[in-house]
Amino acid sequence: ILGSSDQGAIFAAYFGRAFSFAHFITDEGGPQIMDAYRTQFRPSSALAAPQASIGVFVICAESNKRAQYLAASRDLSRLRQRQGRPMPFPPPEDALAYPYTEIERRVVGHHRRRQVVGDPESVKAELEALAARYGVDEIVVLTITHDFAARKRSYALLAAAFGPPGDEQTRCRRWFRSNCRVIARSAATRQARRAGAKTARDCFPRIKPGVAMTTVQGGRAGMPAMALATALYRPDLMMTRHIRTS
């Protein structure tokens, strides 16, 4: 269950389900809510022990300056949503040129405090600090940018930051093949099957039979698992990614 309040945590605990706190929606009371989930958890046929994660909005780029530039789009988009003016996701140039009022800047700052934006080193440090604060070993990463190539690059930089030494593409492919549990849960899959595709291989011919994905998670004990391998196969399907921090 994904939730941003104690109500979702209570439901997850009562029914013995995994719980993910939506830090990207609010950061208020998150660690306390996570503690309550663990304390009140009741084992079920689906889960014997509490399983917790947090969802975090992240933009990672080669430099902090570049990351802040990309994040400007999200700033303006969130402001417009809050004002009841939904519009297409703006390019950074438009967002930076927007004439923010003082109150609007405060709103942007409020939303920015729960985002992780920066270069790989600073992003990794902040995510690890968040994981420790919430007491979790898994983070669900959400990245949205105006430029899709920048979105893919953000995920790839995270893979390099959390992964072991070695060639980035080789590393991601190795994890994807041997360490990842892959969940088929994409609109593209449903559309392809409506069009006549019978198996995952019909939808994703470059992937081994029986595998299709939008969300990936998993990993060997003691090795951080980055679910960024998708970018090397079907980056057009990338939505959210899971990171194990231990």
Side-chain angles (χ1 to χ4, degrees):
I1 295 176
L2 174 66
S4 59
S5 70
D6 55 353
Q7 184 176 13
I10 290 172
F11 283 144
Y14 183 84
F15 291 106
R17 300 293 175 176
F19 178 66
S20 184
F21 183 78
H23 182 86
F24 62 91
I25 294 178
T26 180
D27 61 348
E28 296 180 3
Q32 292 76 24
I33 290 173
M34 194 65 76
D35 288 341
Y37 162 70
R38 296 191 188 95
T39 301
Q40 300 182 33
F41 182 84
R42 306 194 316 171
S44 68
S45 59
L47 206 59
Q51 181 177 324
S53 66
I54 56 174
V56 184
F57 184 86
V58 177
I59 292 182
C60 187
E62 289 80 359
S63 68
N64 183 65
K65 182 178 180 180
R66 171 67 175 171
Q68 297 297 332
Y69 169 80
L70 295 171
S73 298
R74 172 77 168 175
D75 292 340
L76 182 56
S77 178
R78 287 286 295 162
L79 175 66
R80 286 171 171 171
Q81 291 175 10
R82 186 181 180 91
Q83 294 173 336
R85 299 186 296 132
M87 299 175 67
F89 203 75
E93 296 82 1
D94 291 357
L96 291 170
Y98 180 84
Y100 289 99
T101 66
E102 182 59 31
I103 292 178
E104 288 175 335
R105 291 189 183 279
R106 292 180 183 179
V107 171
V108 168
H110 174 75
H111 290 309
R112 268 295 188 103
R113 73 181 190 183
R114 59 178 180 271
Q115 300 179 27
V116 178
V117 179
D119 57 38
E121 184 177 353
S122 63
V123 165
K124 179 182 179 182
E126 192 167 349
L127 288 177
E128 289 177 336
L130 270 177
R133 179 182 164 200
Y134 279 88
V136 299
D137 64 359
E138 185 175 4
I139 298 174
V140 184
V141 170
L142 170 65
T143 298
I144 302 175
T145 60
H146 181 266
D147 177 25
F148 188 67
R151 186 182 193 187
K152 293 190 294 180
R153 183 60 179 160
S154 179
Y155 287 129
L157 288 171
L158 279 176
F162 277 88
D167 173 74
E168 180 177 308
Q169 292 193 0
T170 300
R171 179 173 64 253
C172 287
R173 287 193 177 100
R174 183 173 66 249
W175 284 345
F176 175 76
R177 289 168 181 163
S178 62
N179 300 324
C180 294
R181 174 170 59 86
V182 184
I183 306 169
R185 191 174 61 190
S186 71
T189 307
R190 294 192 294 271
Q191 292 172 1
R193 286 176 174 163
R194 291 192 193 104
K198 301 301 182 182
T199 67
R201 189 172 180 81
D202 295 330
C203 303
F204 311 104
R206 293 186 61 191
I207 307 299
K208 62 184 180 181
V211 175
M213 74 289 194
T214 305
T215 304
V216 187
Q217 72 178 69
R220 286 200 297 257
M223 177 184 292
M226 304 298 299
L228 277 290
T230 311
L232 304 177
Y233 293 87
R234 287 302 302 269
D236 53 307
L237 299 181
M238 286 177 21
M239 295 297 288
T240 59
R241 293 292 173 268
H242 293 241
I243 300 172
R244 288 199 182 279
T245 60
S246 63

